[in-house]
């Protein structure tokens, strides 16, 4: 487990110098309200957007901005290909010197009064302005953006069909900077906030590198546990799979739909798994070329990518379901599980 000084040193390296300029494919939105979190709003609306299209909300990590995060992950490129919109909330340095979303500040992770409410309001604005299907809104993010993704799924669950957390932390696991650093290095939270019960909770995918020294792997375990509790799922996954450098587990409902998924990338540090050869995304700081595009895999799981269009992306073989236990009704249910992976 990394010490607090080591964690601070990692963060200092993340702050680093001025990042290299990248193409900026986004434009600003102004006039949305309320905005108690004082965030910037950037979007990409493809020319082929149709009424009833989906919306992806993408939250950058510390030291990043929206344009850089989009360039690395390739979300706007995929949006042009598949006809959905992308919303990029962007942190302001006045709110956080490292440009981290404030996932550890009580005022910003409540439903009202801070950054979470600002993000919810900008979603409403884009949904109304571009005739987005409100049942097809998704959210994802890296690191602090991943932790804020968990915040949004916990505090505004009715707005999202699903979410994906990359190198992030559980909702409400830390209040204050010191507690945040402790949780990042793997210290267990004794006072984590409970996620309020809702009639329908979003599906969630959790991505993490096994060699992440900034937000250690224990946080992936904690996220899985937190969201299994939300969905009242058992400890053992119903689906397992693996590839050359990744493993996958899924906890499913009675119909075999994955409600909670975990993807682990062997040997990967802190960042977004990318595969530039797929044509989506680019390698760079915290954009780690591991031969697997998390953007494409996440989009497949959300039903945003048509198989015929992404066939050249060479996705990994879909994970096979675990062998069913030969016990009555449970055996029948597990026999019915579809091929695993992020797709429902």
């Amino acid at each position: 487990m990394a010490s607090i000084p080591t964690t601070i040193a990692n963060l200092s390296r993340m702050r680093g110098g001025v990042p290299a300029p990248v193409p900026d494919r986004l434009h600003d939105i102004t006039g949305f309200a309320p905005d108690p979190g004082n965030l910037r709003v950037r979007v990409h609306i493809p020319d082929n957007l149709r009424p009833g299209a989906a919306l992806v909300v993408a939250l950058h990590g510390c030291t990043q901005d929206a344009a850089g995060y989009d360039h690395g992950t390739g979300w706007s490129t995929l949006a042009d290909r598949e006809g959905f919109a992308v919303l990029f909330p962007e942190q302001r340095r006045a709110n956080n010197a490292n440009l981290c979303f404030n996932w550890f500040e009580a005022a910003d992770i409540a439903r009202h009064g801070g950054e979470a409410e600002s993000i919810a309001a900008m979603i409403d604005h884009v949904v109304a302005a571009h005739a987005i299907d409100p049942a097809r809104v998704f959210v994802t993010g890296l690191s602090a953006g991943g932790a804020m993704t968990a915040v949004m799924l916990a505090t505004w669950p009715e707005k999202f069909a699903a979410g994906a957390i990359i190198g992030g932390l559980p909702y409400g696991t830390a209040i204050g900077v010191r507690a945040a650093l402790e949780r990042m290095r793997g210290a267990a939270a004794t006072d984590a906030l409970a996620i309020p019960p809702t009639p329908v909770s979003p599906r969630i995918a959790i991505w993490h590198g096994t060699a992440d020294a900034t937000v250690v792997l224990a946080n992936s375990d904690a996220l899985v546990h937190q969201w299994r509790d939300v969905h009242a799922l058992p400890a053992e996954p119903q689906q397992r799979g693996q590839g050359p450098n990744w493993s996958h587990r899924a906890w499913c409902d009675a119909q075999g739909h994955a409600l909670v998924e975990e993807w682990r990338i062997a040997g990967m540090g802190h960042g977004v798994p990318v595969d530039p050869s797929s044509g989506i995304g680019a390698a760079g700081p915290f954009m780690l070329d591991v031969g697997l595009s998390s953007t494409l895999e996440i989009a497949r799981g959300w039903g945003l990518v048509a198989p015929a269009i992404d066939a050249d992306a060479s996705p990994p073989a879909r994970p096979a379901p675990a062998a069913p236990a030969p016990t009555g009704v449970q055996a029948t249910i597990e026999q019915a599980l579809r091929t695993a992976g992020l797709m429902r």
Side-chain angles (χ1 to χ4, degrees):
M1 180 185 295
S3 65
I4 287 182
T6 299
T7 303
I8 293 172
N10 288 338
L11 290 174
S12 297
R13 285 193 293 271
M14 289 172 68
R15 190 169 184 176
V18 177
V22 299
D24 188 348
R25 309 186 73 232
L26 313 179
H27 68 269
D28 287 85
I29 286 179
T30 59
F32 82 99
D35 183 21
N38 186 34
L39 299 176
R40 186 183 183 189
V41 190
R42 313 211 68 207
V43 298
H44 180 78
I45 308 298
D47 293 338
N48 60 339
L49 188 77
R50 294 181 296 275
L55 173 67
V56 171
V57 182
L59 297 164
H60 64 78
C62 296
T63 76
Q64 297 177 318
D65 61 16
Y69 192 68
D70 175 48
H71 177 71
T73 59
W75 275 112
S76 69
T77 301
L78 188 61
D80 284 342
R81 186 183 298 181
E82 301 294 345
F84 58 86
V86 194
L87 164 64
F88 293 87
E90 185 175 278
Q91 183 61 284
R92 299 183 189 274
R93 205 170 291 280
N95 298 335
N96 187 291
N98 285 315
L99 297 178
C100 309
F101 289 103
N102 287 308
W103 60 271
F104 48 84
E105 296 291 349
D108 287 307
I109 66 173
R111 184 174 170 93
H112 296 291
E115 291 176 9
E117 185 176 13
S118 291
I119 295 169
M122 61 181 77
I123 291 170
D124 290 344
H125 181 96
V126 173
V127 167
H130 297 284
I132 298 294
D133 181 352
R136 300 180 68 208
V137 177
F138 307 91
V139 61
T140 183
L142 166 67
S143 193
M148 188 56 76
T149 295
V151 169
M152 297 309 299
L153 294 168
T155 58
W156 292 92
E158 73 276 14
K159 291 195 180 297
F160 303 104
I165 297 171
I166 306 172
L169 300 98
Y171 165 70
T173 194
I175 300 298
V177 173
R178 182 176 181 83
L181 292 171
E182 290 175 345
R183 302 303 172 258
M184 289 167 63
R185 70 188 185 98
T190 58
D191 55 353
L193 300 176
I195 296 179
T198 58
V200 178
S201 295
R203 295 178 290 118
I204 186 165
I206 298 155
W207 291 69
H208 220 104
T210 63
D212 192 332
T214 302
V215 179
V216 301
L217 189 61
N219 288 287
S220 179
D221 294 329
L223 276 162
V224 168
H225 186 273
Q226 184 175 61
W227 287 93
R228 279 199 299 102
D229 283 352
V230 169
H231 289 282
L233 295 168
E236 285 299 311
Q238 285 72 53
Q239 299 175 358
R240 295 179 185 269
Q242 64 181 31
N245 63 340
W246 55 268
S247 63
H248 172 267
R249 299 189 296 170
W251 291 260
C252 306
D253 63 15
Q255 289 72 46
H257 300 146
L259 301 180
V260 177
E261 299 184 69
E262 181 192 52
W263 290 75
R264 291 190 176 189
I265 312 302
M268 190 184 79
H270 190 61
V272 176
V274 301
D275 178 14
S277 69
S278 70
I280 300 298
F286 311 111
M287 301 290 159
L288 308 180
D289 184 358
V290 296
L292 175 67
S293 170
S294 56
T295 298
L296 278 170
E297 288 301 313
I298 289 166
R300 286 189 184 102
W302 293 345
L304 301 181
V305 173
I309 293 179
D310 78 306
D312 292 337
S314 299
R318 311 309 297 168
T327 55
V329 174
Q330 184 64 28
T332 302
I333 292 172
E334 293 189 11
Q335 289 278 3
L337 293 177
R338 297 188 299 171
T339 301
L342 286 174
M343 294 186 71
R344 289 194 295 170

